Amino acid sequence: MSAGLPGLGLSGLFVLLSALGNPIIQLARRRRRQAGRTRVGPIFALSVAMAMAIMGIWDGLFRGAEVLGYQPSHHSGANAPIPFASVPVVLVSLSILAAIVTTAELALHVSRPRTTPTPPPLPFPGLDRGSRDRTTSA
Amino acid sequence: MEEPRMPQVTQATMEIAPSAREITADLTVIVPAFNEAESLRDTVASLAQQTLPPGRVLVVDDCSTDGTGEVAATLGVEVLRPPVNTGSKAGAQTFALTSVRTRYTMAIDADTVLAPDAIELLAAVFVDDEVAAASGFVLPRHVRTVWERGRYIEYMYSFTFHKQVQDYYGKPLISSGCFSMYRTDVLCDVGGWSSRTMAEDMDLTWTLYERGWAVRFVPEATCYPIEPANWHFLGKQLRRWSHGFVQNVRLHWRGLLSQRYLRSVVAIAFFDALVAPVITLFAFPLLAVLVAPWFLLGYIIDSPVVAIPVLTGARRRGETRRAIASLPAYFALRLANCWFMLRAVVAELVVGRRLTAYEKGH
C-alpha cells in the first residue's frame, strides 16, 4: 500500500512531492537569479489539491471501515496503521521512496557513471561544427 | 528534494539566437510511413496548415504495400524509399536523416496531425542554445473505444501534471516519438534514432541528457496521433513500450547515474514496473478473497486524485464531459499496462528473451 494510493504508485507520489517542492526550488532559483519565467503556481495548486484528495480518500476509507466494523482504530487517514502491522501507511510509503532514491544516489558512488555508447555519427553537411558533445566541450 | 539545473537563456544566446520563423524555415520534417496510405493525407495537410510551415517535408515510404508512396507523391512532398524495409520507425527516420540539410529536424508519425501552431510553439524553445530536443502535448485523435478513452485520460493526466513537473526540473522523461523536434547536428552526432531498443524516443532522450543537452516539454504545442482502438493493436504497442522501458533502463543505467532528478524518476519508475503489476494483478484479488472484498477498491481508489489534473486539463480544452465519460476506461487500460509490464520484466530480466521485432501498434 502506498500513501500515494495504490494506483498512483510511488512514481505518482514522487512527482507529487516534486510539485509540492516547486515553490521552495523557485525561491532558491530566484536567489541565484536563475528563476526564468516558469510559472509554478498552477502546478503547485494542482499538487495541493491532489494531496488533499489523497488525505481525504484515506480518511474516508478508514472512517468507512470503522463504521462497517472492519477496522476499529483510533487513527484515521494516512496515519492509520496498515492491517498487518502497527506502522502508519504514509511512513511505509515514504520509507520505500527514500530507500529507492538513496539506492540511486549510492549507486552513483559505488558504480562509476559511464556515457552509453551510441552508433557511429552520421554525416551532416549542413553545418561546419566541432564536437557537439557538451559533456566534453564544456 | 533535489535541486535541478535548468538551462538558461542568457543575453548572449538571445542576441545570436534565431527566431521561431527562422528556425521553421530551416526545418525538415521526417514522416516515417509503413502502410499509412489512409492517415498520411491528414498528417501532410496539418503540416501545410501550420502558422509557420516547415521548410521541407520528407515522407519515408518504408516499402509499403498499400500505395503509401503513391499517396505521398500526390501531396507535394518529397518521398524517400529505402531499398528494403528498414524494420522499424527508428530505421526509417535514420535513413531519412542522411538526406537532411537543415539545422533542425522534426519527426512526426504518419498517423499524427498537429494543431495549427504546434511547430511554431515547439520551434520557439530552440532559441536556447542548450536545447537539443523538444516535444509537445499528446492527445488521441479519436476517443471512441474503451482503449482510446483510457489513453485519453492517461495522456491528459500525464501531460497536464507529470510531464510539466518533470520539465520544471529540466528532465522530461521522454521526448515523445510521435512529435519531437531536434537539432540536426546533435541528432547526427548520436547516430540518429537507434533500433537497439523498442523505445527509440526514450533511448534518444536519455542519450541527449547523458551528453549534456537539455530537452524541453512544451505543453501548448499539441499533436493528435491515432491510438490503438482494439486489444490486438493495443497489445502490440504496450508490448513494445514495456519492453522498450526495461531495455532502456538496462542500457542506460550507468549513464543515468550522473543525471540529477532523472536518476530518481527512473529508479522509482523501475521499482513501480517491478512491483505494481504484482500488487495489481495478484495481491488485490488474493486479499479480496482471503481478507476482505474491500481490497478491490484498490483498483479505483485513486480516481479522485487522477480526476483533478485530468478535469483541469480537459476544462481548458472544453472537453470536460468527454473526460468524465472516459475516466472509467483509464482503469481498464491501467490493468492492461500492468499485464504487459509484468510480461516484459519477466521476459527481459528473468527469462532473458529480448523483444527485437518491431511491430506497429495500430
Side-chain angles (χ1 to χ4, degrees):
Chain A
M1 294 285 241
S2 157
L5 295 175
L8 295 178
L10 286 177
S11 293
L13 184 60
F14 183 72
V15 174
L16 189 59
L17 290 172
S18 301
L20 288 169
N22 278 7
I24 300 165
I25 301 292
Q26 189 72 358
L27 273 177
R29 284 182 186 173
R30 279 213 183 120
R31 287 178 71 180
R32 292 198 307 268
R33 299 179 191 280
Q34 293 178 339
R37 291 178 188 166
T38 314
R39 289 174 62 223
V40 296
I43 291 296
F44 180 68
L46 265 184
S47 62
V48 169
M50 291 166 75
M52 287 173 68
I54 289 172
M55 287 190 286
I57 290 167
W58 278 120
D59 202 48
L61 196 69
F62 281 93
R63 282 178 198 279
E66 261 185 54
V67 168
L68 292 168
Y70 278 96
Q71 178 80 31
S73 165
H74 298 298
H75 305 275
S76 65
N79 285 322
I82 55 173
F84 309 111
S86 55
V87 184
V89 174
V90 68
L91 201 63
V92 175
S93 296
L94 291 177
S95 301
I96 297 172
L97 195 62
I100 297 167
V101 173
T102 309
T103 304
E105 299 295 323
L106 281 176
L108 174 65
H109 298 287
V110 174
S111 176
R112 183 174 291 179
R114 177 177 76 198
T115 305
T116 310
T118 55
L122 296 169
F124 175 52
L127 278 177
D128 183 21
R129 63 203 163 88
S131 171
R132 295 292 278 165
D133 186 340
R134 296 186 69 87
T135 52
T136 54
S137 61
Chain B
M1 199 63 57
E2 292 178 357
E3 174 74 22
R5 174 185 157 275
M6 286 288 284
Q8 296 297 308
V9 183
T10 62
Q11 190 61 38
T13 56
M14 287 294 284
E15 282 168 7
I16 57 165
S19 67
R21 186 176 296 277
E22 289 167 327
I23 289 171
T24 52
D26 205 3
L27 168 69
T28 298
V29 176
I30 296 174
V31 186
F34 177 67
N35 290 344
E36 303 277 7
E38 276 183 38
S39 57
L40 184 64
R41 198 177 300 274
D42 292 339
T43 303
V44 173
S46 84
L47 289 171
Q49 289 158 7
Q50 289 296 299
T51 50
L52 292 180
R56 189 183 180 204
V57 178
L58 280 177
V59 172
V60 190
D61 172 22
D62 203 359
C63 301
S64 303
T65 54
D66 69 341
T68 295
E70 289 73 22
V71 170
T74 65
L75 300 174
V77 295
E78 290 178 58
V79 184
L80 295 178
R81 190 177 167 97
V84 290
N85 180 275
T86 61
S88 67
K89 188 171 87 174
Q93 289 176 166
T94 302
F95 173 78
L97 186 58
T98 55
S99 304
V100 173
R101 299 289 177 270
T102 50
R103 283 173 185 264
Y104 304 93
T105 300
M106 176 175 283
I108 83 166
D109 287 358
D111 61 5
T112 300
V113 296
L114 305 180
D117 56 355
I119 291 184
E120 181 179 356
L121 291 166
L122 211 55
V125 300
F126 283 85
V127 298
D128 182 346
D129 202 33
E130 293 192 31
V131 173
S135 65
F137 205 106
V138 184
L139 279 174
R141 195 182 333 171
H142 307 303
V143 185
R144 297 172 300 211
T145 70
V146 64
W147 305 120
E148 289 169 332
R149 287 182 179 278
R151 190 52 63 71
Y152 173 79
I153 297 296
E154 186 176 63
Y155 282 171
M156 190 64 90
Y157 172 53
S158 169
F159 287 90
T160 303
F161 187 61
H162 278 232
K163 206 112 182 202
Q164 299 206 33
V165 175
Q166 290 166 2
D167 186 60
Y168 179 76
Y169 285 86
K171 293 287 186 290
L173 189 62
I174 310 172
S175 190
S176 309
C178 63
F179 171 47
S180 277
M181 186 167 164
Y182 308 90
R183 286 186 195 278
T184 310
D185 55 342
V186 178
L187 196 52
C188 287
D189 254 353
V190 298
W193 293 269
S194 172
S195 302
R196 59 189 173 175
T197 73
M198 287 290 108
E200 79 292 334
D201 49 359
M202 184 177 279
D203 185 6
L204 179 57
T205 308
W206 293 2
T207 297
L208 294 175
Y209 286 138
E210 287 174 31
R211 295 190 167 217
W213 291 99
V215 176
R216 292 298 311 275
F217 167 62
V218 183
E220 297 82 11
T222 312
C223 74
Y224 303 91
I226 295 175
E227 293 295 331
N230 57 43
W231 177 259
H232 175 70
F233 287 115
L234 180 81
K236 288 185 177 188
Q237 189 194 56
L238 290 182
R239 192 160 170 252
R240 214 176 59 228
W241 286 0
S242 47
H243 277 263
F245 174 68
V246 179
Q247 290 170 355
N248 272 296
V249 172
R250 286 186 73 167
L251 179 69
H252 283 277
W253 74 272
R254 278 179 184 275
L256 291 178
L257 288 176
S258 57
Q259 302 301 314
R260 300 180 77 183
Y261 192 75
L262 187 66
R263 63 174 174 253
S264 299
V265 170
V266 173
I268 294 162
F270 191 61
F271 176 85
D272 271 351
L274 298 177
V275 173
V278 176
I279 290 178
T280 308
L281 299 173
F282 302 111
F284 282 160
L286 275 175
L287 288 168
V289 171
L290 300 176
V291 182
W294 297 106
F295 276 96
L296 292 177
L297 274 176
Y299 287 113
I300 54 160
I301 196 166
D302 59 328
S303 51
V305 185
V306 173
I308 290 170
V310 166
L311 293 179
T312 305
R315 187 168 169 272
R316 277 190 212 128
R317 301 176 50 83
E319 297 172 355
T320 308
R321 292 171 93 177
R322 170 184 279 189
I324 292 170
S326 301
L327 201 55
Y330 171 65
F331 300 98
L333 178 65
R334 206 159 62 179
L335 280 176
N337 289 344
C338 283
W339 171 242
F340 283 97
M341 186 53 81
L342 179 70
R343 286 180 55 174
V345 166
V346 171
E348 295 278 342
L349 301 180
V350 181
V351 184
R353 199 171 57 230
R354 274 176 58 85
L355 181 67
T356 53
Y358 186 96
E359 283 191 279
K360 270 177 62 176
H362 79 95

